[in-house]
Amino acid sequence: MMNKETFSKRQGLFSIEEKEITVREDAPIGLRGFLRMAFYGLNKKPSDLRAITTRVLKIPPDNNNWSEYPNIDDEVGQHLDYCEWYLVYDIIETIIQKLNPQDKATFTNEINEYFITNGIGWKIVNDQIETRGDDVFEIAVKTVEAVLEIAELQTAKIEIREALNDLSRRPTPDLTGAIQHSLACLECVTREFTGDKKSTLGDLMKKFPGAIPPPLDQAVTKIWGFTSEQGRHLREGKAPEYLEVELVVEVTSAISTYLGKKLGGITPKTETDDLPF
């Protein structure tokens, strides 16, 4: 079984060098090979992995392959190297479902570290693969979920979670859905903050000009306009780009956090050490 900690980690010499995210709609050949290494490092056999790859890819195993090495291992390598990129992530999720808790934790850590050190925009969270952004995006999303939970704004929390789910869809993210859900999160929080349960976010900014300090309120108005065009009334040839949508989710998360803190009476040092702020 793979050691829980290597020498460099035990001695405090190891640090993860996070690379800029350059890979989203792909599963590089290096990841496909590392997946096999990480799985075999758990004292698993090629035939164990073949049982998973054939199930996910919906192909029968080659009954002419009997020996673990090199035959079945080669067969598994063919499965991983030539399948569609998004199926590699399906295989990773299926592996996680099959592992015991200890092996699951080890495998998850190994794969997540690979994602970080190789600029892959995915991460494993709660046994599923979802989108991963840069540090600012990750902190914004993690913080807003924690704040909304404390402020007991469950509907808003569900909306921001759905925005992340839309960004995480494979093979094609639902960008307009992510915009809609992130805006719905901010709208829910703003309605709670103002006490106006029916108005749209655009109307709330007009009716309650002090809800968000100026000139930040203008940013919200601009986001509302962008979201209305890109997320609700999409025009031909005007589809949003991934980075634009990621920015919308990031900004709406930050503003929802601000309002959520005020609603919940949350201060940075009094609620919980687990909050990322």
Side-chain angles (χ1 to χ4, degrees):
M1 181 179 294
M2 194 178 299
N3 291 330
K4 291 183 178 180
E5 285 191 342
T6 61
F7 169 81
S8 60
K9 288 184 178 180
R10 293 197 307 273
Q11 302 303 319
L13 303 173
F14 176 84
S15 62
I16 298 178
E17 182 180 351
E18 183 170 353
K19 291 188 177 180
E20 179 184 356
I21 295 174
T22 58
V23 177
R24 289 197 186 276
E25 297 181 17
D26 193 13
I29 194 66
L31 171 62
R32 298 170 192 241
F34 184 78
L35 166 57
R36 290 161 68 191
M37 293 170 54
F39 185 78
Y40 295 160
L42 301 172
N43 284 337
K44 302 295 184 180
K45 300 177 295 185
S47 57
D48 298 325
L49 186 52
R50 182 174 67 173
I52 293 173
T53 59
T54 53
R55 173 188 170 191
V56 173
L57 301 179
K58 295 179 174 57
I59 55 177
D62 187 342
N63 292 326
N64 293 318
N65 288 334
W66 292 89
S67 60
E68 296 287 342
Y69 296 97
N71 292 356
I72 298 179
D73 180 51
D74 286 345
E75 182 183 349
V76 169
Q78 292 287 318
H79 294 167
L80 289 171
D81 289 348
Y82 294 102
C83 69
E84 294 286 352
W85 70 268
Y86 51 89
L87 293 175
V88 174
Y89 298 100
D90 289 350
I91 289 170
I92 291 174
E93 288 186 341
T94 305
I95 288 174
I96 292 172
Q97 294 170 8
K98 297 290 186 180
L99 296 176
N100 63 49
Q102 183 176 350
D103 286 347
K104 179 188 298 185
T106 300
F107 182 79
T108 296
N109 288 337
E110 288 285 311
I111 298 298
N112 275 338
E113 285 185 6
Y114 189 92
F115 288 159
I116 292 172
T117 57
N118 288 274
I120 298 176
W122 300 99
K123 61 182 178 180
I124 302 172
V125 179
N126 297 326
D127 300 345
Q128 291 186 318
I129 294 176
E130 63 180 45
T131 190
R132 181 175 70 88
D134 60 19
D135 286 344
V136 175
F137 178 85
E138 291 296 312
I139 291 172
V141 172
K142 183 178 180 181
T143 302
V144 72
E145 289 191 291
V147 168
L148 295 179
E149 178 68 27
I150 292 173
E152 298 183 350
L153 300 174
Q154 294 302 319
T155 300
K157 182 180 177 182
I158 290 172
E159 291 292 347
I160 200 64
R161 173 49 51 184
E162 285 301 313
L164 290 177
N165 289 340
D166 285 337
L167 284 176
S168 302
R169 296 192 189 282
R170 302 187 297 271
T172 305
D174 182 357
L175 298 181
T176 56
I179 290 176
Q180 291 169 357
H181 284 297
S182 63
L183 184 77
C185 170
L186 180 55
E187 194 168 68
C188 285
V189 178
T190 307
R191 283 173 174 172
E192 288 296 323
F193 185 78
T194 61
D196 186 334
K197 308 291 187 178
K198 296 183 178 180
S199 296
T200 66
L201 182 60
D203 289 338
L204 290 171
M205 290 298 96
K206 296 175 183 177
K207 294 168 66 174
F208 301 93
I212 297 174
L216 296 179
D217 56 343
Q218 293 301 311
V220 176
T221 300
K222 297 296 184 183
I223 290 173
W224 167 257
F226 174 86
T227 304
S228 181
E229 178 176 324
Q230 300 285 3
R232 295 185 176 183
H233 310 299
L234 190 63
R235 293 183 296 171
E236 183 66 32
K238 294 292 185 179
E241 297 180 0
Y242 186 95
L243 287 178
E244 293 176 338
V245 177
E246 189 178 66
L247 178 61
V248 170
V249 174
E250 184 178 314
V251 173
T252 53
S253 293
I255 298 172
S256 296
T257 295
Y258 166 78
L259 294 177
K261 285 180 179 180
K262 297 192 74 172
L263 272 169
I266 303 169
T267 56
K269 297 182 180 180
T270 59
E271 291 295 336
T272 172
D273 293 336
D274 293 332
L275 281 177
F277 51 82

